[in-house]
mmCIF file with all atom_site columns, all heavy atoms in Angstrom:
data_model
loop_
_atom_site.group_PDB
_atom_site.id
_atom_site.type_symbol
_atom_site.label_atom_id
_atom_site.label_alt_id
_atom_site.label_comp_id
_atom_site.label_asym_id
_atom_site.label_entity_id
_atom_site.label_seq_id
_atom_site.pdbx_PDB_ins_code
_atom_site.Cartn_x
_atom_site.Cartn_y
_atom_site.Cartn_z
_atom_site.occupancy
_atom_site.B_iso_or_equiv
_atom_site.pdbx_formal_charge
_atom_site.auth_seq_id
_atom_site.auth_comp_id
_atom_site.auth_asym_id
_atom_site.auth_atom_id
_atom_site.pdbx_PDB_model_num
ATOM 1  N N   . LEU B 1 380 ? 51.396 -16.841 178.612 1.00 97.00 ? 397 LEU B N   1
ATOM 2  C CA  . LEU B 1 380 ? 50.119 -17.311 179.074 1.00 97.00 ? 397 LEU B CA  1
ATOM 3  C C   . LEU B 1 380 ? 50.087 -18.776 179.315 1.00 97.00 ? 397 LEU B C   1
ATOM 4  O O   . LEU B 1 380 ? 49.010 -19.314 179.582 1.00 97.00 ? 397 LEU B O   1
ATOM 5  C CB  . LEU B 1 380 ? 48.958 -16.758 178.227 1.00 97.00 ? 397 LEU B CB  1
ATOM 6  C CG  . LEU B 1 380 ? 48.932 -17.109 176.667 1.00 97.00 ? 397 LEU B CG  1
ATOM 7  C CD1 . LEU B 1 380 ? 48.341 -18.590 176.633 1.00 97.00 ? 397 LEU B CD1 1
ATOM 8  C CD2 . LEU B 1 380 ? 47.997 -16.206 175.953 1.00 97.00 ? 397 LEU B CD2 1
ATOM 9  N N   . ALA B 1 381 ? 51.258 -19.435 179.050 1.00 98.00 ? 398 ALA B N   1
ATOM 10 C CA  . ALA B 1 381 ? 51.246 -20.889 179.098 1.00 98.00 ? 398 ALA B CA  1
ATOM 11 C C   . ALA B 1 381 ? 51.242 -21.493 180.488 1.00 98.00 ? 398 ALA B C   1
ATOM 12 O O   . ALA B 1 381 ? 51.857 -20.853 181.349 1.00 98.00 ? 398 ALA B O   1
ATOM 13 C CB  . ALA B 1 381 ? 52.361 -21.404 178.352 1.00 98.00 ? 398 ALA B CB  1
ATOM 14 N N   . GLN B 1 382 ? 50.515 -22.590 180.707 1.00 98.00 ? 399 GLN B N   1
ATOM 15 C CA  . GLN B 1 382 ? 50.615 -23.334 181.964 1.00 98.00 ? 399 GLN B CA  1
ATOM 16 C C   . GLN B 1 382 ? 51.984 -23.969 182.061 1.00 98.00 ? 399 GLN B C   1
ATOM 17 O O   . GLN B 1 382 ? 52.632 -24.062 183.132 1.00 98.00 ? 399 GLN B O   1
ATOM 18 C CB  . GLN B 1 382 ? 49.538 -24.308 182.032 1.00 98.00 ? 399 GLN B CB  1
ATOM 19 C CG  . GLN B 1 382 ? 49.521 -25.266 183.272 1.00 98.00 ? 399 GLN B CG  1
ATOM 20 C CD  . GLN B 1 382 ? 49.295 -24.527 184.554 1.00 98.00 ? 399 GLN B CD  1
ATOM 21 O OE1 . GLN B 1 382 ? 48.770 -23.403 184.540 1.00 98.00 ? 399 GLN B OE1 1
ATOM 22 N NE2 . GLN B 1 382 ? 49.668 -25.096 185.623 1.00 98.00 ? 399 GLN B NE2 1
ATOM 23 N N   . VAL B 1 383 ? 52.436 -24.555 180.910 1.00 98.00 ? 400 VAL B N   1
ATOM 24 C CA  . VAL B 1 383 ? 53.774 -25.158 180.872 1.00 98.00 ? 400 VAL B CA  1
ATOM 25 C C   . VAL B 1 383 ? 54.518 -24.584 179.690 1.00 98.00 ? 400 VAL B C   1
ATOM 26 O O   . VAL B 1 383 ? 54.128 -24.640 178.597 1.00 98.00 ? 400 VAL B O   1
ATOM 27 C CB  . VAL B 1 383 ? 53.651 -26.682 180.653 1.00 98.00 ? 400 VAL B CB  1
ATOM 28 C CG1 . VAL B 1 383 ? 55.012 -27.331 180.697 1.00 98.00 ? 400 VAL B CG1 1
ATOM 29 C CG2 . VAL B 1 383 ? 52.817 -27.345 181.742 1.00 98.00 ? 400 VAL B CG2 1
ATOM 30 N N   . ALA B 1 384 ? 55.668 -23.832 180.044 1.00 98.00 ? 401 ALA B N   1
ATOM 31 C CA  . ALA B 1 384 ? 56.428 -23.283 179.001 1.00 98.00 ? 401 ALA B CA  1
ATOM 32 C C   . ALA B 1 384 ? 57.820 -23.804 179.011 1.00 98.00 ? 401 ALA B C   1
ATOM 33 O O   . ALA B 1 384 ? 58.620 -23.676 179.924 1.00 98.00 ? 401 ALA B O   1
ATOM 34 C CB  . ALA B 1 384 ? 56.539 -21.783 179.251 1.00 98.00 ? 401 ALA B CB  1
ATOM 35 N N   . PHE B 1 385 ? 58.166 -24.561 177.997 1.00 98.00 ? 402 PHE B N   1
ATOM 36 C CA  . PHE B 1 385 ? 59.542 -25.124 177.848 1.00 98.00 ? 402 PHE B CA  1
ATOM 37 C C   . PHE B 1 385 ? 60.496 -24.167 177.125 1.00 98.00 ? 402 PHE B C   1
ATOM 38 O O   . PHE B 1 385 ? 60.082 -23.517 176.120 1.00 98.00 ? 402 PHE B O   1
ATOM 39 C CB  . PHE B 1 385 ? 59.524 -26.388 176.917 1.00 98.00 ? 402 PHE B CB  1
ATOM 40 C CG  . PHE B 1 385 ? 58.862 -27.533 177.645 1.00 98.00 ? 402 PHE B CG  1
ATOM 41 C CD1 . PHE B 1 385 ? 57.591 -27.935 177.273 1.00 98.00 ? 402 PHE B CD1 1
ATOM 42 C CD2 . PHE B 1 385 ? 59.553 -28.383 178.531 1.00 98.00 ? 402 PHE B CD2 1
ATOM 43 C CE1 . PHE B 1 385 ? 56.929 -29.034 177.902 1.00 98.00 ? 402 PHE B CE1 1
ATOM 44 C CE2 . PHE B 1 385 ? 58.894 -29.455 179.023 1.00 98.00 ? 402 PHE B CE2 1
ATOM 45 C CZ  . PHE B 1 385 ? 57.560 -29.725 178.748 1.00 98.00 ? 402 PHE B CZ  1
ATOM 46 N N   . THR B 1 386 ? 61.748 -24.036 177.578 1.00 98.00 ? 403 THR B N   1
ATOM 47 C CA  . THR B 1 386 ? 62.755 -23.337 176.873 1.00 98.00 ? 403 THR B CA  1
ATOM 48 C C   . THR B 1 386 ? 63.524 -24.362 176.034 1.00 98.00 ? 403 THR B C   1
ATOM 49 O O   . THR B 1 386 ? 63.870 -25.462 176.519 1.00 98.00 ? 403 THR B O   1
ATOM 50 C CB  . THR B 1 386 ? 63.765 -22.622 177.773 1.00 98.00 ? 403 THR B CB  1
ATOM 51 O OG1 . THR B 1 386 ? 63.087 -21.751 178.703 1.00 98.00 ? 403 THR B OG1 1
ATOM 52 C CG2 . THR B 1 386 ? 64.834 -21.885 177.008 1.00 98.00 ? 403 THR B CG2 1
#
Side-chain angles (χ1 to χ4, degrees):
Chain B
L397 60 79
Q399 174 67 20
V400 181
F402 291 98
T403 302

